Amino acid sequence: MSKLILRASDIKAREEAHSHPWNPKSEIRGFMLARGVGLQRTGVSIVRIPPGKESFVYHSHRFEEEWLYILAGRGVAEIDGADYEVGPGDFMGFPTPSVAHHLKNPFESELLYLMGGENREFEVADYPHLGRRMVRHGPRVVIYPLEAGAAFPFPGIEKL
């Protein structure tokens, strides 16, 4: 079989459980489709959120665009402080710099969606509910308090 094709049975067999350490309600099951066929600059994953669980953590991206496409089930997307019920066929896109967003499943059936975006060498993500900022450069990840940022003392250069 070609390494450029992932069969449905292989995808289902390779799904793994994940959660976010900052959110006790975080629980997803999925597979990184793009990595499975060798894509490096773009990410596409198939994701399942069980009833009563959430994706990861309410966050925004500075440099990497992200999108979600609901395949089955219903969820609640928190986007820029407001909640929106979403269902099959709904698409959400977060151009950069993005507003904060997060996906929850308060309903009784599984929520299934595709998630994708960029894989850049450098990324900054803010977690407004937690007061944290993540800075990633390659494999190195550093977390800062959001209030730790300060203006750089040169005209025309602002803090992130």
Side-chain angles (χ1 to χ4, degrees), residues 109-133:
S109 62
E110 178 181 80
L111 175 60
L112 175 66
Y113 61 101
L114 290 174
M115 172 178 65
E118 298 176 278
N119 289 323
R120 301 184 87 174
E121 179 70 14
F122 182 79
E123 171 62 322
V124 175
D126 286 347
Y127 303 88
H129 291 333
L130 301 173
R132 297 178 184 170
R133 171 170 288 149

PDB file of all heavy atoms in Angstrom, residues 109-133:
ATOM      1  N   SER A 109     -23.931  12.584  22.763  1.00  0.00           N
ATOM      2  CA  SER A 109     -23.278  11.758  21.742  1.00  0.00           C
ATOM      3  C   SER A 109     -21.895  12.326  21.425  1.00  0.00           C
ATOM      4  O   SER A 109     -21.602  13.496  21.683  1.00  0.00           O
ATOM      5  CB  SER A 109     -24.136  11.682  20.474  1.00  0.00           C
ATOM      6  OG  SER A 109     -24.300  12.970  19.916  1.00  0.00           O
ATOM      7  N   GLU A 110     -21.062  11.489  20.855  1.00  0.00           N
ATOM      8  CA  GLU A 110     -19.694  11.862  20.508  1.00  0.00           C
ATOM      9  C   GLU A 110     -19.680  12.990  19.478  1.00  0.00           C
ATOM     10  O   GLU A 110     -20.529  13.042  18.597  1.00  0.00           O
ATOM     11  CB  GLU A 110     -18.996  10.620  19.941  1.00  0.00           C
ATOM     12  CG  GLU A 110     -17.589  10.847  19.482  1.00  0.00           C
ATOM     13  CD  GLU A 110     -16.980   9.571  18.921  1.00  0.00           C
ATOM     14  OE1 GLU A 110     -17.270   9.236  17.760  1.00  0.00           O
ATOM     15  OE2 GLU A 110     -16.235   8.922  19.673  1.00  0.00           O
ATOM     16  N   LEU A 111     -18.707  13.865  19.587  1.00  0.00           N
ATOM     17  CA  LEU A 111     -18.487  14.946  18.625  1.00  0.00           C
ATOM     18  C   LEU A 111     -17.290  14.560  17.759  1.00  0.00           C
ATOM     19  O   LEU A 111     -16.215  14.255  18.289  1.00  0.00           O
ATOM     20  CB  LEU A 111     -18.215  16.262  19.356  1.00  0.00           C
ATOM     21  CG  LEU A 111     -17.847  17.473  18.517  1.00  0.00           C
ATOM     22  CD1 LEU A 111     -18.965  17.820  17.527  1.00  0.00           C
ATOM     23  CD2 LEU A 111     -17.552  18.670  19.412  1.00  0.00           C
ATOM     24  N   LEU A 112     -17.464  14.522  16.446  1.00  0.00           N
ATOM     25  CA  LEU A 112     -16.413  14.125  15.505  1.00  0.00           C
ATOM     26  C   LEU A 112     -16.120  15.287  14.566  1.00  0.00           C
ATOM     27  O   LEU A 112     -17.043  15.859  13.974  1.00  0.00           O
ATOM     28  CB  LEU A 112     -16.871  12.905  14.693  1.00  0.00           C
ATOM     29  CG  LEU A 112     -15.961  12.417  13.582  1.00  0.00           C
ATOM     30  CD1 LEU A 112     -14.644  11.874  14.149  1.00  0.00           C
ATOM     31  CD2 LEU A 112     -16.669  11.357  12.743  1.00  0.00           C
ATOM     32  N   TYR A 113     -14.831  15.643  14.433  1.00  0.00           N
ATOM     33  CA  TYR A 113     -14.484  16.762  13.562  1.00  0.00           C
ATOM     34  C   TYR A 113     -13.078  16.615  12.990  1.00  0.00           C
ATOM     35  O   TYR A 113     -12.267  15.831  13.473  1.00  0.00           O
ATOM     36  CB  TYR A 113     -14.624  18.100  14.294  1.00  0.00           C
ATOM     37  CG  TYR A 113     -13.743  18.290  15.504  1.00  0.00           C
ATOM     38  CD1 TYR A 113     -12.573  19.045  15.435  1.00  0.00           C
ATOM     39  CD2 TYR A 113     -14.092  17.747  16.737  1.00  0.00           C
ATOM     40  CE1 TYR A 113     -11.784  19.241  16.554  1.00  0.00           C
ATOM     41  CE2 TYR A 113     -13.314  17.946  17.855  1.00  0.00           C
ATOM     42  CZ  TYR A 113     -12.155  18.695  17.757  1.00  0.00           C
ATOM     43  OH  TYR A 113     -11.368  18.893  18.869  1.00  0.00           O
ATOM     44  N   LEU A 114     -12.832  17.371  11.932  1.00  0.00           N
ATOM     45  CA  LEU A 114     -11.488  17.525  11.384  1.00  0.00           C
ATOM     46  C   LEU A 114     -10.929  18.824  11.921  1.00  0.00           C
ATOM     47  O   LEU A 114     -11.644  19.826  12.021  1.00  0.00           O
ATOM     48  CB  LEU A 114     -11.511  17.583   9.855  1.00  0.00           C
ATOM     49  CG  LEU A 114     -11.851  16.297   9.129  1.00  0.00           C
ATOM     50  CD1 LEU A 114     -11.973  16.576   7.625  1.00  0.00           C
ATOM     51  CD2 LEU A 114     -10.812  15.230   9.388  1.00  0.00           C
ATOM     52  N   MET A 115      -9.648  18.804  12.260  1.00  0.00           N
ATOM     53  CA  MET A 115      -8.966  19.987  12.773  1.00  0.00           C
ATOM     54  C   MET A 115      -7.685  20.142  11.964  1.00  0.00           C
ATOM     55  O   MET A 115      -6.999  19.154  11.691  1.00  0.00           O
ATOM     56  CB  MET A 115      -8.638  19.782  14.253  1.00  0.00           C
ATOM     57  CG  MET A 115      -7.758  20.841  14.867  1.00  0.00           C
ATOM     58  SD  MET A 115      -7.469  20.545  16.628  1.00  0.00           S
ATOM     59  CE  MET A 115      -6.552  19.017  16.605  1.00  0.00           C
ATOM     60  N   GLY A 116      -7.358  21.346  11.588  1.00  0.00           N
ATOM     61  CA  GLY A 116      -6.131  21.542  10.833  1.00  0.00           C
ATOM     62  C   GLY A 116      -5.559  22.927  11.012  1.00  0.00           C
ATOM     63  O   GLY A 116      -6.173  23.811  11.601  1.00  0.00           O
ATOM     64  N   GLY A 117      -4.360  23.071  10.485  1.00  0.00           N
ATOM     65  CA  GLY A 117      -3.696  24.362  10.546  1.00  0.00           C
ATOM     66  C   GLY A 117      -2.251  24.242  10.124  1.00  0.00           C
ATOM     67  O   GLY A 117      -1.826  23.233   9.574  1.00  0.00           O
ATOM     68  N   GLU A 118      -1.532  25.291  10.411  1.00  0.00           N
ATOM     69  CA  GLU A 118      -0.134  25.362  10.011  1.00  0.00           C
ATOM     70  C   GLU A 118       0.787  24.744  11.062  1.00  0.00           C
ATOM     71  O   GLU A 118       0.447  24.710  12.238  1.00  0.00           O
ATOM     72  CB  GLU A 118       0.263  26.836   9.832  1.00  0.00           C
ATOM     73  CG  GLU A 118      -0.522  27.553   8.753  1.00  0.00           C
ATOM     74  CD  GLU A 118      -0.157  29.014   8.697  1.00  0.00           C
ATOM     75  OE1 GLU A 118      -0.698  29.789   9.516  1.00  0.00           O
ATOM     76  OE2 GLU A 118       0.682  29.364   7.854  1.00  0.00           O
ATOM     77  N   ASN A 119       1.932  24.290  10.610  1.00  0.00           N
ATOM     78  CA  ASN A 119       3.014  23.850  11.496  1.00  0.00           C
ATOM     79  C   ASN A 119       4.214  24.741  11.206  1.00  0.00           C
ATOM     80  O   ASN A 119       5.005  24.454  10.318  1.00  0.00           O
ATOM     81  CB  ASN A 119       3.392  22.380  11.228  1.00  0.00           C
ATOM     82  CG  ASN A 119       2.343  21.423  11.693  1.00  0.00           C
ATOM     83  OD1 ASN A 119       1.721  21.635  12.720  1.00  0.00           O
ATOM     84  ND2 ASN A 119       2.130  20.371  10.942  1.00  0.00           N
ATOM     85  N   ARG A 120       4.326  25.826  11.931  1.00  0.00           N
ATOM     86  CA  ARG A 120       5.424  26.758  11.703  1.00  0.00           C
ATOM     87  C   ARG A 120       6.530  26.508  12.717  1.00  0.00           C
ATOM     88  O   ARG A 120       6.316  25.919  13.772  1.00  0.00           O
ATOM     89  CB  ARG A 120       4.913  28.191  11.803  1.00  0.00           C
ATOM     90  CG  ARG A 120       3.789  28.433  10.771  1.00  0.00           C
ATOM     91  CD  ARG A 120       3.324  29.820  10.773  1.00  0.00           C
ATOM     92  NE  ARG A 120       4.189  30.571   9.875  1.00  0.00           N
ATOM     93  CZ  ARG A 120       3.979  31.835   9.553  1.00  0.00           C
ATOM     94  NH1 ARG A 120       2.962  32.480  10.060  1.00  0.00           N
ATOM     95  NH2 ARG A 120       4.797  32.450   8.748  1.00  0.00           N
ATOM     96  N   GLU A 121       7.705  26.968  12.398  1.00  0.00           N
ATOM     97  CA  GLU A 121       8.867  26.800  13.277  1.00  0.00           C
ATOM     98  C   GLU A 121       8.703  27.569  14.588  1.00  0.00           C
ATOM     99  O   GLU A 121       9.196  27.168  15.622  1.00  0.00           O
ATOM    100  CB  GLU A 121      10.129  27.275  12.537  1.00  0.00           C
ATOM    101  CG  GLU A 121      11.401  27.193  13.330  1.00  0.00           C
ATOM    102  CD  GLU A 121      11.889  25.768  13.595  1.00  0.00           C
ATOM    103  OE1 GLU A 121      11.399  24.836  12.946  1.00  0.00           O
ATOM    104  OE2 GLU A 121      12.760  25.610  14.472  1.00  0.00           O
ATOM    105  N   PHE A 122       7.960  28.677  14.520  1.00  0.00           N
ATOM    106  CA  PHE A 122       7.806  29.549  15.686  1.00  0.00           C
ATOM    107  C   PHE A 122       6.324  29.830  15.896  1.00  0.00           C
ATOM    108  O   PHE A 122       5.608  30.134  14.942  1.00  0.00           O
ATOM    109  CB  PHE A 122       8.562  30.861  15.450  1.00  0.00           C
ATOM    110  CG  PHE A 122       8.497  31.805  16.605  1.00  0.00           C
ATOM    111  CD1 PHE A 122       9.304  31.621  17.716  1.00  0.00           C
ATOM    112  CD2 PHE A 122       7.628  32.876  16.591  1.00  0.00           C
ATOM    113  CE1 PHE A 122       9.243  32.493  18.801  1.00  0.00           C
ATOM    114  CE2 PHE A 122       7.555  33.757  17.662  1.00  0.00           C
ATOM    115  CZ  PHE A 122       8.373  33.553  18.771  1.00  0.00           C
ATOM    116  N   GLU A 123       5.856  29.735  17.138  1.00  0.00           N
ATOM    117  CA  GLU A 123       4.457  30.026  17.457  1.00  0.00           C
ATOM    118  C   GLU A 123       4.353  30.618  18.860  1.00  0.00           C
ATOM    119  O   GLU A 123       5.154  30.296  19.745  1.00  0.00           O
ATOM    120  CB  GLU A 123       3.614  28.753  17.369  1.00  0.00           C
ATOM    121  CG  GLU A 123       2.192  28.860  17.875  1.00  0.00           C
ATOM    122  CD  GLU A 123       1.295  29.855  17.140  1.00  0.00           C
ATOM    123  OE1 GLU A 123       1.755  30.940  16.752  1.00  0.00           O
ATOM    124  OE2 GLU A 123       0.109  29.574  16.981  1.00  0.00           O
ATOM    125  N   VAL A 124       3.374  31.483  19.021  1.00  0.00           N
ATOM    126  CA  VAL A 124       3.027  32.043  20.318  1.00  0.00           C
ATOM    127  C   VAL A 124       1.529  31.812  20.495  1.00  0.00           C
ATOM    128  O   VAL A 124       0.739  32.141  19.609  1.00  0.00           O
ATOM    129  CB  VAL A 124       3.337  33.554  20.396  1.00  0.00           C
ATOM    130  CG1 VAL A 124       2.847  34.142  21.712  1.00  0.00           C
ATOM    131  CG2 VAL A 124       4.825  33.808  20.197  1.00  0.00           C
ATOM    132  N   ALA A 125       1.142  31.210  21.614  1.00  0.00           N
ATOM    133  CA  ALA A 125      -0.271  30.982  21.910  1.00  0.00           C
ATOM    134  C   ALA A 125      -0.580  31.539  23.295  1.00  0.00           C
ATOM    135  O   ALA A 125       0.210  31.360  24.222  1.00  0.00           O
ATOM    136  CB  ALA A 125      -0.601  29.498  21.857  1.00  0.00           C
ATOM    137  N   ASP A 126      -1.707  32.218  23.401  1.00  0.00           N
ATOM    138  CA  ASP A 126      -2.148  32.757  24.687  1.00  0.00           C
ATOM    139  C   ASP A 126      -3.308  31.925  25.219  1.00  0.00           C
ATOM    140  O   ASP A 126      -4.143  31.435  24.456  1.00  0.00           O
ATOM    141  CB  ASP A 126      -2.607  34.207  24.539  1.00  0.00           C
ATOM    142  CG  ASP A 126      -1.450  35.166  24.348  1.00  0.00           C
ATOM    143  OD1 ASP A 126      -0.288  34.765  24.568  1.00  0.00           O
ATOM    144  OD2 ASP A 126      -1.700  36.327  23.973  1.00  0.00           O
ATOM    145  N   TYR A 127      -3.344  31.778  26.537  1.00  0.00           N
ATOM    146  CA  TYR A 127      -4.394  31.057  27.255  1.00  0.00           C
ATOM    147  C   TYR A 127      -5.034  32.049  28.216  1.00  0.00           C
ATOM    148  O   TYR A 127      -4.672  32.114  29.395  1.00  0.00           O
ATOM    149  CB  TYR A 127      -3.793  29.857  27.993  1.00  0.00           C
ATOM    150  CG  TYR A 127      -3.061  28.918  27.062  1.00  0.00           C
ATOM    151  CD1 TYR A 127      -1.709  29.106  26.767  1.00  0.00           C
ATOM    152  CD2 TYR A 127      -3.731  27.870  26.446  1.00  0.00           C
ATOM    153  CE1 TYR A 127      -1.046  28.258  25.894  1.00  0.00           C
ATOM    154  CE2 TYR A 127      -3.069  27.012  25.567  1.00  0.00           C
ATOM    155  CZ  TYR A 127      -1.735  27.216  25.298  1.00  0.00           C
ATOM    156  OH  TYR A 127      -1.087  26.390  24.425  1.00  0.00           O
ATOM    157  N   PRO A 128      -5.987  32.859  27.720  1.00  0.00           N
ATOM    158  CA  PRO A 128      -6.510  33.973  28.518  1.00  0.00           C
ATOM    159  C   PRO A 128      -7.168  33.574  29.837  1.00  0.00           C
ATOM    160  O   PRO A 128      -7.024  34.287  30.824  1.00  0.00           O
ATOM    161  CB  PRO A 128      -7.524  34.650  27.602  1.00  0.00           C
ATOM    162  CG  PRO A 128      -7.478  33.957  26.303  1.00  0.00           C
ATOM    163  CD  PRO A 128      -6.558  32.802  26.393  1.00  0.00           C
ATOM    164  N   HIS A 129      -7.905  32.453  29.874  1.00  0.00           N
ATOM    165  CA  HIS A 129      -8.546  32.038  31.125  1.00  0.00           C
ATOM    166  C   HIS A 129      -7.511  31.630  32.176  1.00  0.00           C
ATOM    167  O   HIS A 129      -7.789  31.678  33.376  1.00  0.00           O
ATOM    168  CB  HIS A 129      -9.500  30.859  30.900  1.00  0.00           C
ATOM    169  CG  HIS A 129     -10.729  31.190  30.115  1.00  0.00           C
ATOM    170  ND1 HIS A 129     -11.311  32.440  30.059  1.00  0.00           N
ATOM    171  CD2 HIS A 129     -11.510  30.405  29.330  1.00  0.00           C
ATOM    172  CE1 HIS A 129     -12.371  32.415  29.297  1.00  0.00           C
ATOM    173  NE2 HIS A 129     -12.520  31.185  28.831  1.00  0.00           N
ATOM    174  N   LEU A 130      -6.347  31.219  31.735  1.00  0.00           N
ATOM    175  CA  LEU A 130      -5.299  30.738  32.643  1.00  0.00           C
ATOM    176  C   LEU A 130      -4.207  31.767  32.887  1.00  0.00           C
ATOM    177  O   LEU A 130      -3.327  31.556  33.725  1.00  0.00           O
ATOM    178  CB  LEU A 130      -4.665  29.457  32.084  1.00  0.00           C
ATOM    179  CG  LEU A 130      -5.632  28.294  31.864  1.00  0.00           C
ATOM    180  CD1 LEU A 130      -4.939  27.158  31.150  1.00  0.00           C
ATOM    181  CD2 LEU A 130      -6.201  27.836  33.195  1.00  0.00           C
ATOM    182  N   GLY A 131      -4.222  32.874  32.112  1.00  0.00           N
ATOM    183  CA  GLY A 131      -3.206  33.902  32.287  1.00  0.00           C
ATOM    184  C   GLY A 131      -1.812  33.442  31.883  1.00  0.00           C
ATOM    185  O   GLY A 131      -0.823  33.851  32.489  1.00  0.00           O
ATOM    186  N   ARG A 132      -1.729  32.604  30.840  1.00  0.00           N
ATOM    187  CA  ARG A 132      -0.435  32.070  30.406  1.00  0.00           C
ATOM    188  C   ARG A 132      -0.194  32.320  28.922  1.00  0.00           C
ATOM    189  O   ARG A 132      -1.131  32.455  28.145  1.00  0.00           O
ATOM    190  CB  ARG A 132      -0.371  30.557  30.665  1.00  0.00           C
ATOM    191  CG  ARG A 132      -0.456  30.194  32.117  1.00  0.00           C
ATOM    192  CD  ARG A 132      -0.438  28.700  32.316  1.00  0.00           C
ATOM    193  NE  ARG A 132      -0.606  28.380  33.726  1.00  0.00           N
ATOM    194  CZ  ARG A 132      -0.817  27.170  34.183  1.00  0.00           C
ATOM    195  NH1 ARG A 132      -0.876  26.153  33.354  1.00  0.00           N
ATOM    196  NH2 ARG A 132      -0.965  26.953  35.463  1.00  0.00           N
ATOM    197  N   ARG A 133       1.069  32.342  28.567  1.00  0.00           N
ATOM    198  CA  ARG A 133       1.502  32.460  27.166  1.00  0.00           C
ATOM    199  C   ARG A 133       2.522  31.372  26.892  1.00  0.00           C
ATOM    200  O   ARG A 133       3.467  31.177  27.662  1.00  0.00           O
ATOM    201  CB  ARG A 133       2.117  33.831  26.905  1.00  0.00           C
ATOM    202  CG  ARG A 133       2.773  33.930  25.519  1.00  0.00           C
ATOM    203  CD  ARG A 133       3.166  35.354  25.170  1.00  0.00           C
ATOM    204  NE  ARG A 133       1.938  36.085  24.901  1.00  0.00           N
ATOM    205  CZ  ARG A 133       1.765  37.384  25.134  1.00  0.00           C
ATOM    206  NH1 ARG A 133       2.744  38.090  25.651  1.00  0.00           N
ATOM    207  NH2 ARG A 133       0.630  37.962  24.867  1.00  0.00           N
TER     208      ARG A 133
END
